[in-house]
Amino acid sequence: MTYIDNVLARLKEKNPGETEFIQAATEILQSLKPVVEKHPEYEKAALLERFTEPERTIMFRVPWTDDNGRVHVNKGYRVEFNSAIGPYKGGLRFHPSVNLSVIKFLGLEQILKNSLTGLPIGGGKGGSDFDPKGKSDREVMAFCQSFMTELYRHIGADTDVPAGDIGVGGREIGYLYGQYKRIANEFTGVLTGRGLSYGGSLIRKEATGYGLVYIVEEAMKWRNDSFEGKTVIVSGSGNVAIYACEKAQQLGAKVVAMYDSNGYIYDKNGIDVDVVRQIKEVERGRIKEYADRVKGAEYSEGCNGIWSIPCDVALPCATQNEIDKESAELLVKNGVRYVAEGANMPSTLEAIDVFKRAKTVYLPAKAANAGGVATSALEMAQASGRMFWSAEKVDKKLKEIMVNIFRNIDAAANRYGCDDDYVVGANIAGFEKVADAMMSQGIV
Ligand code: NDP
């Protein structure tokens, strides 16, 4: 048994039932094989055991009262996974599917993603099984205040800096920040994704979706290709999906389908992103309404059918494991050439295998969606310097970061003889810096 096999076997034994966490750890560790073979000192220092064990796991109850006076109790989590290269950084997810396994998989991925940005940020993630959908603003505020009343003692601008994720957008960040400020009595950059009137950064809202399209654009450039005239599918219709759709269309592509957790819309003329934004961001409605408002658009119940629509580029931007083996096979059969992940771990291990065998250009989440956290780090820099940068400046930096990520993961893959395997490239390029920092800092 190799060192990696050993670590994985023990990880499964010690974390029973944590399927998402084990899935992510398996994908990462298996692709680190060539690096680990080159560095026998890692085993002696139990580096992989430490890398896969969070530095700190905080779990707490979150009691809150609904509009009818009924008391509810949710679970709250913050996993401070790795601070070798900077303060813990990673989003908060509010969704009924949240559990410790989901937060740990996201936290582990976040370590490498943050390293890939080239910025000094460690990895963390948090959230709750609370569902903001269908709740009044007052209920969401009551929940956020209760959540922060416990979380505030663990975070700080130089310690741990949370941001948004599924179910945590501008409204939630505002309530969380207000409560933090009130308890801690300080105005610092302790959360990112803040509103522009209280320390947020221009382009942060757009950053993950824009960044996703920028990295695909770079991968296309290397193949003398471009977005011009391409047919694109974007799954999801939240923050990442909306801005991926917007940027892809700006670059000349036609996005023909999007979904939410109930069903998908197909618009052969190209999605009108302003209508989606109005429905999802302003009215907090359902994507179904798009078909009522836009002539020629069709709505189908259920999500999976979206992957049977022929496309050149697939951008999964909703949630984990949304593309399984069958969906991947359908995409490949219909001629998909690029798959880039806006969501975290949207493809199952079997689906990734299908893309690899078909030689689809496949850009994994930790590289492809790193634009969000990179811009969060730019927000931290602006906050600590008490200054604001223009949208043009932030967008330019975001683009540079995404281009650099592409070059680095491509170079790492080539260095280890795995040309065009961006899974290996992203894991190795992200890991090398973290491993080096951990080795330098001793057994901690
Ligand atoms: P949002 O909450 O804004 O949007 C999520 C979207 O995905 C919604 O359309 C939602 O539908 C849909 N969705 C959620 N769960 C499911 C499901 N089980 N089946 C089908 N659709 C689902 O989240 P974000 O856009 O912020 O995040 C999307 C993904 O991107 C996540 O994986 C997140 O971790 C990742 N990400 C986000 C970053 C950011 O900056 N926001 C940064 C990096 C990664 P519905 O409206 O019905 O709930």
Side-chain angles (χ1 to χ4, degrees):
M1 238 193 184
T2 66
Y3 174 40
I4 287 178
D5 291 338
N6 252 321
V7 172
L8 272 174
R10 253 177 299 148
L11 212 57
K12 284 180 196 159
E13 222 175 272
K14 281 169 59 177
N15 300 281
E18 296 188 7
T19 46
E20 296 84 358
F21 174 56
I22 297 299
Q23 180 183 340
T26 305
E27 188 247 280
I28 292 170
L29 292 193
Q30 282 177 348
S31 65
L32 294 179
K33 202 165 161 245
V35 189
V36 171
E37 276 170 2
K38 211 172 121 192
H39 292 279
E41 70 276 18
Y42 287 174
E43 184 169 359
K44 211 166 149 236
L47 188 80
L48 294 182
E49 289 89 328
R50 288 188 286 132
F51 175 71
T52 50
E53 187 67 41
E55 289 176 17
R56 192 173 300 107
T57 301
I58 301 144
M59 293 196 271
F60 49 100
R61 75 166 178 240
V62 190
W64 59 280
T65 308
D66 70 20
D67 288 344
N68 299 318
R70 223 182 110 210
V71 178
H72 300 259
V73 179
N74 284 96
K75 284 177 180 287
Y77 303 90
R78 185 73 184 164
V79 173
E80 297 182 334
F81 222 120
N82 192 299
S83 61
I85 64 168
Y88 311 106
K89 179 94 197 84
L92 298 171
R93 176 176 292 192
F94 292 169
H95 193 270
S97 63
V98 164
N99 56 37
L100 184 60
S101 169
V102 168
I103 298 299
K104 280 173 69 181
F105 114 64
L106 290 164
L108 185 65
E109 284 275 305
Q110 196 81 44
I111 302 169
L112 299 181
K113 179 185 316 192
N114 293 1
S115 167
L116 282 175
T117 65
L119 301 166
I121 36 180
K125 199 83 190 186
S128 171
D129 57 358
F130 172 75
D131 188 359
K133 226 182 291 168
K135 305 284 190 303
S136 70
D137 284 353
R138 196 214 57 84
E139 288 173 330
V140 171
M141 182 175 73
F143 175 82
C144 288
Q145 290 182 340
S146 180
F147 186 86
M148 186 53 86
T149 300
E150 173 57 36
L151 187 68
Y152 93 95
R153 69 190 85 241
H154 308 288
I155 61 177
D158 294 318
T159 315
D160 182 357
V161 184
D165 190 79
I166 293 180
V168 179
R171 174 182 60 172
E172 289 75 15
I173 292 289
Y175 294 146
L176 289 164
Y177 192 71
Q179 184 72 351
Y180 178 85
K181 194 166 58 65
R182 178 194 201 184
I183 304 177
N185 191 27
E186 58 172 45
F187 193 110
T188 55
V190 67
L191 292 174
T192 57
R194 283 175 289 151
L196 296 176
S197 57
Y198 61 98
S201 172
L202 287 161
I203 305 293
R204 173 60 190 91
K205 188 166 75 163
E206 295 85 351
T208 310
Y210 279 17
L212 174 67
V213 172
Y214 290 150
I215 199 169
V216 179
E217 189 188 22
E218 187 64 16
M220 286 174 164
K221 246 188 220 162
W222 284 40
R223 292 163 175 83
N224 287 323
D225 201 359
S226 78
F227 266 105
E228 193 63 50
K230 294 274 186 302
T231 300
V232 180
I233 291 177
V234 177
S235 67
S237 47
N239 174 258
V240 180
I242 287 173
Y243 292 97
C245 176
E246 179 174 276
K247 185 53 75 178
Q249 312 229 85
Q250 281 172 10
L251 296 182
K254 184 155 81 169
V255 178
V256 294
M258 293 178 90
Y259 66 47
D260 63 19
S261 53
N262 293 115
Y264 69 92
I265 47 161
Y266 173 65
D267 186 345
K268 61 178 185 318
N269 300 317
I271 301 268
D272 183 338
V273 77
D274 288 334
V275 177
V276 177
R277 200 184 282 127
Q278 174 66 24
I279 295 170
K280 300 301 284 188
E281 277 188 355
V282 181
E283 299 168 21
R284 296 182 189 276
R286 309 307 300 156
I287 201 73
K288 186 175 196 269
E289 293 156 39
Y290 183 93
D292 303 331
R293 296 184 198 184
V294 178
K295 216 170 141 226
E298 298 159 27
Y299 174 77
S300 306
E301 278 293 322
C303 296
N304 261 1
I306 203 171
W307 307 118
S308 64
I309 300 169
C311 66
D312 306 301
V313 183
L315 304 176
C317 294
T319 193
Q320 63 268 16
N321 294 329
E322 49 178 320
I323 302 185
D324 58 11
K325 182 168 176 270
E326 288 69 36
S327 305
E329 283 169 346
L330 263 179
L331 281 165
V332 167
K333 188 172 141 242
N334 288 331
V336 75
R337 286 160 58 204
Y338 301 88
V339 176
E341 301 181 332
N344 283 309
M345 204 167 76
S347 314
T348 63
L349 292 172
E350 295 77 24
I352 298 173
D353 211 44
V354 172
F355 296 136
K356 277 191 178 174
R357 271 187 285 118
K359 302 222 175 306
T360 310
V361 178
Y362 168 74
L363 291 158
K366 64 178 71 69
N369 70 23
V373 74
T375 309
S376 276
L378 301 180
E379 182 177 330
M380 287 163 74
Q382 292 170 77
S384 60
R386 302 261 195 273
M387 62 173 101
F388 287 104
W389 297 342
S390 67
E392 292 70 33
K393 179 168 174 173
V394 180
D395 194 37
K396 186 163 170 272
K397 279 186 182 288
L398 167 65
K399 196 164 184 181
E400 280 165 12
I401 290 169
M402 298 315 293
V403 167
N404 272 334
I405 291 177
F406 181 77
R407 289 184 184 155
N408 288 341
I409 66 174
D410 185 74
N414 291 352
R415 225 173 26 251
Y416 287 94
C418 303
D419 298 22
D420 295 339
D421 185 336
Y422 301 126
V423 174
V424 169
N427 285 330
I428 291 181
F431 180 73
E432 281 180 331
K433 184 172 163 194
V434 176
D436 185 66
M438 286 178 75
M439 291 300 283
S440 308
Q441 292 169 23
I443 307 300
V444 290

